[in-house]
Amino acid sequence: MRDIRAYYASENLPASLVGCLLTVVATMLTTATSVLTIVATLVLTTGCADEVDTDKYFLSDEYLKLGTTNLSIEGGGSTQTIAVGANCTWTATASADWLTLSPAQGNGNATITLSAQANSSIAADRNATITVKTAGGLQRVIHVHQAKSNETLTFNASELTFAAGGETKSLVIESNATWEIRGVEEWFTLSQTSGQGNATINITAVGNSSENERSAILTVSGATTSGHVTIMQEGRSTNLTASATSLAYEAVGGQQTLRLEGTASWTATASATWLTMDKISGQGTYDLLISCEANTQQSAREATITISYGALSKRQTITVTVSQQAAVLPVLTMPASVTIGRDQMTVSSTVTSPFAVTERGFVWSATNSTPTKSDHSISVTAATAAFEGTISGLDSGTTYYVRAYATSAVGTSYSEVLTIATSGGKPGENDNPIPNI
């Protein structure tokens, strides 16, 4: 027994096996079984294969070696290869159904392709083993570790646009986690607002009675990630036309009507302050009253009125060009002589003006051939276009230059010059022979 104990020690067997080996050997010494066979039998029957290199205790000529004993796989799954070195037949098995082996058996050297499915868990890693065995009992074990998967959350579209009349469209969610949808508004519904994994969500939008498009943003939240989907709906179709694209006003101004016809909402703006409208916004058909102020400048002017209508995001415009004539000064006829004396005369004229005449009369001078109000003048009140006035305090036998004048909002204008002389010689019966009496 001491020799056997010494042999066990020379074989570097673990101390935990020595006791049971001695007991078994004592009962088997009467047989012809070799010590090595006894040791191998004990190792296999006592479940101590992890502590002992069993290969050296088999008398078989089988050989089996693998290229690795540990494999690490990403959570999304992958394919890896395992090199098998053998001189015999062998079989390979996996302890988990998320691992597949090809081939699963062979004879001699070979390469096994290992395919690992994606880890469905985003919370925990997982482990498995691959065992390769020979017919004679040799086996090798590979430990496989797979990491947890990263969370995925994707959609088939980042934006869904619905017709104005309403319709149903699908949002496809691909995920490996639980998710929830927020941001639903009253004008559309979802067939599902929460779930786990892949799903198809039916989104139904009701009809949009407004001409303006509307939108909402759906937020899809997973455990660690989120995404957004924009929901848009077109506005109802509308139209608008205007009765004219140009308007012309006289210098005195006035009012004209521009008829708008259609179903769209609209706004009206003028590019000049001398144009005003009785309404700057409305809906559908309307007779827009446009007022133009008087143009007191002696030059024509133009402006535009812009009618904007339709959906805010697809605004359309109608442009109306407005022109206004230049202002003109009053026009007067050359004064005509009514009566003439030694120191006075009565003259008349006629004025025409598109603007109201605020002042009219006559100017004169004995030295200035084109007299103005800065010389001598008299103003005349008249209710008609024709007017006359008496100029007094003149020198007898003197030539005078006389013009009619009129003033309006545009300015003051003068007639042509009347050249006329007072009478001379002895005073007549109607003249005052004594000055200053």
Side-chain angles (χ1 to χ4, degrees):
M1 293 292 289
R2 282 193 298 271
D3 292 337
I4 294 175
R5 184 184 300 271
Y7 178 78
Y8 290 162
S10 68
E11 293 296 320
N12 294 319
L13 290 176
S16 58
L17 295 179
V18 173
C20 63
L21 285 173
L22 292 175
T23 303
V24 173
V25 168
T27 60
M28 298 180 67
L29 286 176
T30 56
T31 70
T33 304
S34 70
V35 173
L36 293 178
T37 302
I38 296 172
V39 172
T41 302
L42 286 172
V43 169
L44 292 177
T45 58
T46 57
C48 298
D50 289 340
E51 298 185 45
V52 181
D53 184 2
T54 59
D55 293 358
K56 62 187 288 186
Y57 301 105
F58 283 92
L59 299 181
S60 170
D61 293 331
E62 290 182 338
Y63 167 79
L64 178 63
K65 186 174 182 178
L66 304 181
T68 184
T69 58
N70 292 280
L71 288 175
S72 293
I73 300 174
E74 295 179 353
S78 66
T79 298
Q80 298 192 30
T81 58
I82 303 170
V84 177
N87 63 352
C88 57
T89 59
W90 49 265
T91 58
T93 57
S95 65
D97 58 5
W98 49 272
L99 294 174
T100 57
L101 302 172
S102 178
Q105 59 186 10
N107 188 355
N109 298 336
T111 298
I112 299 175
T113 299
L114 166 67
S115 298
Q117 299 175 6
N119 189 349
S120 59
S121 173
I122 62 173
D125 297 355
R126 60 184 178 181
N127 298 288
T129 57
I130 297 171
T131 302
V132 181
K133 290 183 178 180
T134 67
L138 288 178
Q139 73 175 32
R140 297 290 182 268
V141 176
I142 299 175
H143 298 278
V144 180
H145 174 81
Q146 185 178 32
K148 61 186 178 182
S149 291
N150 294 324
E151 182 178 351
T152 60
L153 182 64
T154 60
F155 320 115
N156 65 325
S158 60
E159 180 179 304
L160 294 175
T161 300
F162 294 78
E167 61 179 323
T168 298
K169 290 190 173 184
S170 295
L171 174 66
V172 178
I173 297 176
E174 293 185 355
S175 177
N176 59 357
T178 58
W179 45 263
E180 181 182 8
I181 303 176
R182 298 188 303 275
V184 180
E185 297 192 5
E186 60 181 9
W187 52 273
F188 63 91
T189 58
L190 274 64
S191 61
Q192 184 179 346
T193 57
S194 62
Q196 182 172 2
N198 300 337
T200 298
I201 312 299
N202 292 324
I203 303 175
T204 302
V206 300
N208 186 2
S209 60
S210 170
E211 64 189 3
N212 293 318
E213 64 183 23
R214 54 189 177 184
S215 64
I217 297 178
L218 295 179
T219 299
V220 186
S221 301
T224 60
T225 188
S226 64
H228 302 284
V229 179
T230 300
I231 306 298
M232 300 187 66
Q233 185 176 29
E234 300 172 346
R236 63 179 177 84
S237 178
T238 58
N239 61 82
L240 192 73
T241 60
S243 59
T245 57
S246 63
L247 297 174
Y249 288 86
E250 295 181 354
V252 292
Q255 292 181 326
Q256 295 189 53
T257 297
L258 180 70
R259 184 168 182 80
L260 303 177
E261 287 189 289
T263 58
S265 61
W266 50 267
T267 59
T269 57
S271 65
T273 58
W274 48 271
L275 289 174
T276 58
M277 293 154 288
D278 67 329
K279 196 173 185 179
I280 60 172
S281 64
Q283 176 80 42
T285 301
Y286 184 74
D287 289 327
L288 186 65
L289 184 63
I290 302 172
S291 300
C292 177
E293 296 178 357
N295 182 11
T296 60
Q297 303 301 312
Q298 297 180 55
S299 59
R301 59 186 181 182
E302 284 192 353
T304 57
I305 293 175
T306 302
I307 312 296
S308 300
Y309 68 95
L312 295 177
S313 63
K314 301 176 181 178
R315 208 69 168 160
Q316 300 183 67
T317 58
I318 298 172
T319 301
V320 180
T321 301
V322 180
S323 60
Q324 187 175 27
Q325 296 175 351
V328 294
L329 292 166
V331 178
L332 299 117
T333 60
M334 186 177 70
S337 173
V338 178
T339 61
I340 187 167
R342 295 177 68 252
D343 62 353
Q344 66 180 18
M345 66 180 72
T346 300
V347 291
S348 65
S349 181
T350 300
V351 62
T352 57
S353 174
F355 293 88
V357 175
T358 58
E359 184 182 352
R360 72 187 78 186
F362 298 93
V363 296
W364 71 91
S365 174
T367 57
N368 184 4
S369 61
T370 55
T372 65
K373 290 179 67 177
S374 61
D375 294 304
H376 301 284
S377 66
I378 62 169
S379 63
V380 175
T381 300
T384 62
F387 62 99
E388 66 177 40
T390 299
I391 303 171
S392 59
L394 303 176
D395 294 329
S396 62
T398 303
T399 299
Y400 287 93
Y401 305 100
V402 181
R403 291 201 295 178
Y405 79 89
T407 300
S408 71
V410 182
T412 299
S413 62
Y414 296 88
S415 70
E416 294 182 18
V417 177
L418 168 66
T419 303
I420 187 171
T422 56
S423 59
K426 296 179 180 181
E429 59 180 6
N430 295 323
D431 294 331
N432 184 359
I434 305 175
N436 301 322
I437 295 180

